[in-house]
Amino acid sequence: MLINDMKKINIRKKKILIRLDLNVPMQNNKITSYARIKASLPTIKLALKNKSKIMILSHLGRPIENKFQEKYSLFPIFQYLKKKLKNTNIYFIKNINDAININYGEIIIFENVRFNKGEKTNNTKLAKKYASLCDIFVMDAFGTAHRMEASTYGVGMFAKIACAGPLLISEIKSLKKSIKNPQRPLITILGGSKISTKFNILKKLAKISDTTIVGGGIANTFLAINNNIGKSIYEKNFIKLAKNLIKKYNIIVPIDSRTFSIKNKKYKYFMKNSNLITDHEEIMDIGDQSIKKFIKIINTAKTIIWNGPVGVFESKKFRLGTEKISYAIANNKKSFSLAGGGDTLAVIEMFKIKKQISYISTGGGAFLEFIEGKKLPSIEMLKQKYIKN
């Protein structure tokens, strides 16, 4: 793939505008996971090493456009970066039009780009404004590479030079390694609540995988083909499609489940075979027999692609399945493991297995679309801006 690489072009003492993915989970204006910020630090430090004037763009959440909403402000992220980069002057700028002249080796962090009018529609005027700030635009936000927005696509088209940052380069290489010529057996673990949002990727992965393990609401849709699943989350409109997939490919569903029901205002918890769920029960996690079966399959893998938890891991009562599967992936030393997606990152942090996963993708939707084979607008933009040395 011919794209400009930040590490291979002259960025010394240049004005650098970097699009990062600092879209971290927040609660009460406090960061609950630092994974994406930490993944972006090497890019910032590379620019600092080259005495660049550094400007950073990112989004956070889904605010109403052209309206400030405090819960979506990047200010807490600015405060965190100030602590991590203690000897660096860092400024927080609320309005893109108020950009100040900084010295070499200093940083501006702009407020959430999604507060800017025209960001999500890739407005030309806004894209040109971004581009006018810099000598070089660095796209290093893989998590938004699938979106054609002013700060991810338009700015690159109008910038003098556009290149990929080290995180984006690393993402592309690792994803290609997993899907082009993977070592086999290739085992995929796909979780999450809705099969509709992941059906195409499920189909793609099932086709290239030796075995595909499904959990969560996705598994419930498969279970609903021949079983009563009570009040469990599933998608009726996808049952026929799921039936066709499971006939064609090696897709493994849970054989037992952890459930709960409410009776007389009392919560009752059960573990039972997946074909014995009653009308009043809701599947919340995989059961012990499923855990054993899934781990046995994972232990055979040479390549693992993992996206999503297999149960409601946020609750301690329904965390065991996701916990055991996570440790099985982490402890398979002979495999190349690739994990991606927001919930997956949260799981990795929760169980402290980051160092044992071969590669952790910062992307959610972009991760899935890349594997699916779709063209990502930001990467297509970088191809167009390639300059042969």
Side-chain angles (χ1 to χ4, degrees), residues 61-63 65 113-114 116-123 126 147-151:
R62 299 173 183 269
E65 187 177 278
V113 291
R114 288 189 178 169
N116 298 332
K117 189 177 180 180
E119 166 61 23
K120 293 190 79 174
T121 56
N122 189 34
N123 178 269
L126 181 60
R147 302 191 185 281
M148 189 180 281
E149 298 178 349
S151 70

Side-chain angles (χ1 to χ4, degrees), residues 187-224:
I187 308 298
T188 293
I189 300 101
L190 197 63
S193 59
K194 291 185 177 181
I195 194 171
S196 56
T197 58
K198 294 186 179 180
F199 182 78
N200 289 334
I201 187 65
L202 173 59
K203 188 176 179 181
K204 166 81 174 182
L205 287 172
K207 188 177 181 180
I208 66 170
S209 300
D210 296 285
T211 305
T212 301
I213 294 169
V214 291
I218 294 173
N220 294 345
T221 302
F222 282 97
L223 290 171

Side-chain angles (χ1 to χ4, degrees), residues 4-19:
N4 299 318
D5 185 337
M6 181 185 180
K7 288 183 176 180
K8 295 179 181 178
I9 63 174
N10 181 19
I11 63 168
R12 187 160 187 79
K13 291 199 170 182
K14 304 287 185 183
K15 289 186 290 182
I16 309 292
L17 182 66
I18 310 174
R19 178 52 160 102

Side-chain angles (χ1 to χ4, degrees), residues 111-283:
E111 182 58 283
N112 191 340
V113 291
R114 288 189 178 169
F115 291 160
N116 298 332
K117 189 177 180 180
E119 166 61 23
K120 293 190 79 174
T121 56
N122 189 34
N123 178 269
T124 299
K125 185 178 178 182
L126 181 60
K128 284 182 175 179
K129 175 62 186 178
Y130 291 147
S132 70
L133 298 172
C134 65
D135 301 313
I136 299 167
F137 170 66
V138 179
M139 177 56 184
D140 209 30
F142 179 73
T144 59
H146 61 313
R147 302 191 185 281
M148 189 180 281
E149 298 178 349
S151 70
T152 61
Y153 179 88
V155 56
M157 295 303 293
F158 293 112
K160 298 166 193 171
I161 298 171
C163 65
L167 183 58
L168 184 61
I169 294 286
S170 183
E171 294 270 8
I172 293 168
K173 286 181 178 177
S174 296
L175 287 167
K176 280 187 171 181
K177 181 178 178 178
S178 297
I179 60 177
K180 294 290 183 184
N181 293 298
Q183 283 193 295
R184 295 192 179 274
L186 165 58
I187 308 298
T188 293
I189 300 101
L190 197 63
S193 59
K194 291 185 177 181
I195 194 171
S196 56
T197 58
K198 294 186 179 180
F199 182 78
N200 289 334
I201 187 65
L202 173 59
K203 188 176 179 181
K204 166 81 174 182
L205 287 172
K207 188 177 181 180
I208 66 170
S209 300
D210 296 285
T211 305
T212 301
I213 294 169
V214 291
I218 294 173
N220 294 345
T221 302
F222 282 97
L223 290 171
I225 296 169
N226 295 312
N227 303 290
N228 175 27
I229 58 166
K231 294 184 176 181
S232 309
I233 293 171
Y234 80 108
E235 291 179 274
K236 189 176 180 180
N237 293 341
F238 278 81
I239 289 178
K240 188 177 178 181
L241 291 168
K243 190 175 182 179
N244 291 336
L245 276 186
I246 206 165
K247 280 182 181 178
K248 196 170 182 181
Y249 303 111
N250 187 25
I251 297 173
I252 308 297
V253 300
I255 53 178
D256 62 344
S257 306
R258 282 182 168 78
T259 71
F260 92 104
S261 67
I262 304 172
K263 202 169 184 180
N264 299 324
K265 295 184 179 180
K266 289 184 179 179
Y267 290 91
K268 292 194 173 182
Y269 303 94
F270 307 93
M271 185 168 65
K272 53 172 62 178
N273 290 347
S274 298
N275 62 345
L276 297 176
I277 309 298
T278 65
D279 290 343
H280 300 289
E281 290 177 279
E282 185 173 351
I283 298 170

Side-chain angles (χ1 to χ4, degrees), residues 60-74 94-95 111-120 126:
L60 179 65
R62 299 173 183 269
I64 298 167
E65 187 177 278
N66 204 28
K67 182 180 178 182
F68 174 79
Q69 293 167 271
E70 189 176 355
K71 68 177 180 178
Y72 295 119
S73 175
L74 286 179
K94 290 183 177 180
N95 191 314
E111 182 58 283
N112 191 340
V113 291
R114 288 189 178 169
F115 291 160
N116 298 332
K117 189 177 180 180
E119 166 61 23
K120 293 190 79 174
L126 181 60

